[in-house]
Amino acid sequence: MAQNHKIMANRLIFLEEDLKELFTDLHASGQWADGKEISDAYAIEDPANILAIYRQEKNHPNFDLKTFFNNYFVSAQSQGKEYQSDSSLPVEDHIERLWSVLAREPDNEEYFSTLIPLPYPYVVPGGRFNEIYYWDSYFTMLGLVESGRTDMVEHMVKNFAYMIENFGFIPNGNRTYYLGRSQPPFFSLMVSLLAQEKGEKYLIDFLPTMVKEHKFWMEGEQELSKTQANYKRVVLMPNGEVLNRHYDNIFSPRAEMYQDDVELIERKGKAGKQTLLNIRAACESGWDFSSRWCEVPDDLTTIYTTSLIPVDLNCLLYHLEKMISKAYVLQGEGKLGTNYAQRAESRAKAIQQYCWNASEGYFFDFNHHQEAQTTSLTAAAVYPLAFQLASAQQAESVANTLTQELLKDGGLLTTNFESGEQWDAPNGWAPLQWMAIWGLRNYGHDHLATTIKNRWTALNIKVFKNTGKLMEKYNVVDTSLLSGGGEYPVQDGFGWTNGVLLKLLRE
């Protein structure tokens, strides 16, 4: 298994620790349109030597920072950039061709980089994202299974297990600057998918890593009290239950968007550090960024992610607890299986209590500081349907609200609020289309599920025929446009779009 491999830490760059003022000076210079290019670059020699040379040369009259960077670093160019798509092909053939473009072999450890070497092949999303991403990968795997590439699915699951063994959790992506946060915990769904394809023994094989991931999310739960009601990702609820929130263990500006965060902190003054934590926590949610996380919906500086108990996160942890329980039973450890089954049942009841709004007929996030639900209407409400935590009546009510508020010509909106952020109107995203279709089918709402499917696939195919590309996200309101919003340009590739589209087309 993957845990036999050990990371070559001496080859990893920890940006602020190893490059110090060189790193901050590069970002502050404004000479790079995308800060991620700086943070992803390969160093051609030991960072300590580069820093020493920089300190000697930076005050010379003719010193040029960009020239210095180009002399000592190599930009991590997007592999497959030269790939030319053929829009005359059926989109399924295009996706089949793209798997090899987006695939990466086990990483060579003979360089200095922020890229964490992984022992098995994997698939990246594409565009500026040249590393594996946690929750993206589950939706990519749906398509890999349809392509008969279950070996690649197994490799990717083993890579995630490897990171759990080495770091105690699955980071946002395999970069050192992501080691403060995770992403929505889809590992148990990946293991379940693999077990469906290759046998239930995989549940037992990956049981230790599922348990370890659960411990990461539940760290500090035993120490919670009325005077210390939250710690990292756990929150003591008003009636004594423990639910989860998003968090980040690092409090410095994000390496991939460093200068943006520095300027945000400067604008916020004393409140800047807390704002930064909430920015990072939203990145862990995968929804970076959305009105969902803001007290004032169209003002990112009011972000308060850590105050919220997200309904989707807790549904995912319910699934993790259920899969751990099932694996223990399969292993013959019924007592431990019962323990995790009880934890899952307790969580299910708490989700109902704190996230279901009977008068609105919809699931919402819960603000644990105010002890009240939020009013942000989002597609996260489909998660209780996907994991069968809703009653039939609740599912019908959610389906009605989806139809009235979020269903558009190109599929489902993420939220019904237009803020300029990418996880808001008018954008739709592949993972949420799939979770909605899955959830609605669980309760017999096949007509709505099929409507979402047809509108989404039609939009994906239309954009492909017009551009030769499959996008990270789509404008589902005006299907004549691409999408927008966010901190970076629209990316093409794109792992989870490819996976969900292929899954839906081949059903």
Side-chain angles (χ1 to χ4, degrees):
M1 297 296 290
Q3 55 262 39
N4 294 326
H5 299 268
K6 294 299 175 186
I7 283 174
M8 300 292 291
N10 61 317
R11 293 288 177 181
L12 295 178
I13 296 179
F14 294 86
L15 292 163
E16 289 178 274
E17 296 173 32
D18 293 334
L19 296 179
K20 297 184 167 59
E21 73 271 17
L22 171 56
F23 173 69
T24 57
D25 290 350
L26 287 166
H27 279 275
S29 72
Q31 296 189 60
W32 284 265
D34 185 353
K36 196 174 187 299
E37 182 182 346
I38 299 169
S39 301
D40 291 359
Y42 299 88
I44 64 171
E45 60 178 273
D46 192 313
N49 296 340
I50 296 173
L51 179 61
I53 296 167
Y54 176 68
R55 287 171 172 171
Q56 290 175 353
E57 296 185 359
K58 67 178 181 178
N59 294 319
H60 290 179
N62 296 322
F63 178 78
D64 182 80
L65 185 60
K66 194 148 196 176
T67 300
F68 182 88
F69 176 84
N70 291 334
N71 286 340
Y72 290 97
F73 296 89
V74 178
S75 293
Q77 296 296 327
S78 296
Q79 295 181 43
K81 211 170 185 180
E82 69 287 348
Y83 173 75
Q84 295 293 318
S85 63
D86 182 353
S87 60
S88 69
L89 288 174
V91 72
E92 294 176 60
D93 292 351
H94 172 68
I95 294 171
E96 293 288 0
R97 290 185 175 192
L98 271 182
W99 291 138
S100 59
V101 176
L102 298 175
R104 302 290 181 267
E105 290 302 311
D107 300 303
N108 183 345
E109 295 168 348
E110 298 305 313
Y111 50 71
F112 295 93
S113 170
T114 58
L115 188 70
I116 297 168
L118 297 176
Y120 300 98
Y122 55 95
V123 174
V124 303
R128 74 199 279 267
F129 302 111
N130 281 297
E131 49 281 313
I132 199 170
Y133 280 81
Y134 182 4
W135 80 306
D136 296 56
S137 294
Y138 171 71
F139 301 96
T140 301
M141 288 175 187
L142 295 175
L144 289 169
V145 167
E146 294 302 317
S147 295
R149 301 185 184 219
T150 52
D151 286 348
M152 178 62 89
V153 172
E154 183 172 352
H155 290 323
M156 291 168 71
V157 174
K158 285 182 174 180
N159 279 329
F160 287 126
Y162 164 74
M163 288 194 278
I164 291 173
E165 291 299 326
N166 278 277
F167 303 118
F169 73 107
I170 299 174
N172 188 144
N174 62 316
R175 293 277 179 189
T176 57
Y177 54 75
Y178 286 143
L179 287 175
R181 65 178 182 265
S182 188
Q183 271 196 330
F186 272 84
F187 184 67
S188 61
L189 280 87
M190 298 176 189
V191 173
S192 180
L193 180 66
L194 188 58
Q196 288 169 23
E197 296 300 314
K198 302 190 78 167
E200 285 194 329
K201 82 176 192 69
Y202 283 88
L203 292 176
I204 297 173
D205 288 348
F206 291 102
L207 173 59
T209 41
M210 287 194 290
V211 170
K212 198 163 188 176
E213 182 177 47
H214 189 263
K215 287 180 178 176
F216 163 78
W217 284 97
M218 302 309 296
E219 181 188 353
E221 67 172 322
Q222 302 302 328
E223 286 72 48
L224 294 177
S225 65
K226 288 184 178 180
T227 56
Q228 177 63 51
N230 54 77
Y231 176 79
K232 291 190 177 178
R233 293 163 180 81
V234 289
V235 177
L236 184 66
M237 303 301 285
N239 293 329
E241 311 92 339
V242 176
L243 288 177
N244 290 80
R245 64 178 181 175
H246 288 292
Y247 197 76
D248 192 312
N249 299 345
I250 296 175
F251 284 79
S252 60
R254 293 168 296 154
E256 71 278 22
M257 301 296 298
Y258 192 87
Q259 199 58 30
D260 296 63
D261 286 355
V262 167
E263 292 168 6
L264 176 68
I265 291 170
E266 288 173 353
R267 290 201 306 273
K268 291 290 289 184
K270 289 182 179 179
K273 284 289 186 183
Q274 189 62 34
T275 301
L276 182 57
L277 171 60
N278 284 303
I279 287 279
R280 283 178 163 272
C283 291
E284 181 174 86
S285 79
W287 291 39
D288 43 335
F289 296 105
S290 171
S291 59
R292 177 186 185 184
W293 308 127
C294 299
E295 288 188 274
V296 179
D298 56 357
D299 183 358
L300 188 60
T301 66
T302 68
I303 192 166
Y304 68 144
T305 321
T306 57
S307 296
L308 304 182
I309 303 296
V311 61
D312 45 359
L313 170 61
N314 284 279
C315 288
L316 287 165
L317 289 169
Y318 165 84
H319 185 271
L320 176 58
E321 288 160 349
K322 292 285 283 186
M323 286 302 100
I324 292 173
S325 172
K326 182 176 180 178
Y328 270 129
V329 171
L330 285 171
Q331 192 168 267
E333 298 185 70
K335 188 174 181 181
L336 285 169
T338 299
N339 175 268
Y340 278 91
Q342 289 172 344
R343 293 186 70 120
E345 185 58 32
S346 174
R347 186 183 296 275
K349 290 178 180 176
I351 290 169
Q352 281 284 348
Q353 179 169 353
Y354 296 104
C355 297
W356 174 250
N357 186 311
S359 61
E360 295 292 331
Y362 208 68
F363 289 97
F364 294 88
D365 299 329
F366 187 85
N367 185 324
H368 63 89
H369 288 306
Q370 296 179 357
E371 296 192 3
Q373 290 173 352
T374 68
T375 58
S376 182
L377 192 146
T378 82
V382 303
Y383 277 69
L385 279 63
F387 297 110
Q388 296 182 287
L389 294 171
S391 68
Q393 186 176 2
Q394 288 173 334
E396 183 173 0
S397 182
V398 168
N400 290 337
T401 302
L402 292 175
T403 302
Q404 294 165 14
E405 298 290 340
L406 299 184
L407 181 63
K408 301 298 177 184
D409 288 347
L412 282 184
L413 288 168
T414 309
T415 75
N416 62 353
F417 188 85
E418 192 162 351
S419 67
E421 301 297 342
Q422 62 176 353
W423 287 83
D424 279 316
N427 291 338
W429 295 74
L432 295 175
Q433 313 300 315
W434 174 254
M435 297 303 290
I437 292 166
W438 176 22
L440 290 164
R441 286 173 175 169
N442 283 340
Y443 292 85
H445 294 284
D446 295 341
H447 178 73
L448 178 55
T450 300
T451 300
I452 295 168
K453 169 187 170 176
N454 290 343
R455 293 185 184 186
W456 178 255
T457 56
L459 175 58
N460 285 195
I461 293 168
K462 176 183 177 183
V463 171
F464 171 69
K465 290 299 181 185
N466 289 338
T467 67
K469 298 177 180 180
L470 290 169
M471 301 297 188
E472 180 187 22
K473 57 184 180 283
Y474 291 85
N475 185 327
V476 298
V477 176
D478 185 344
T479 59
S480 68
L481 301 175
L482 296 180
S483 57
E487 297 181 298
Y488 54 83
V490 176
Q491 302 296 301
D492 73 277
F494 196 88
W496 61 18
T497 300
N498 305 345
V500 169
L501 180 58
L502 196 59
K503 173 72 172 175
L504 292 173
L505 291 176
R506 289 200 174 158
E507 287 182 318

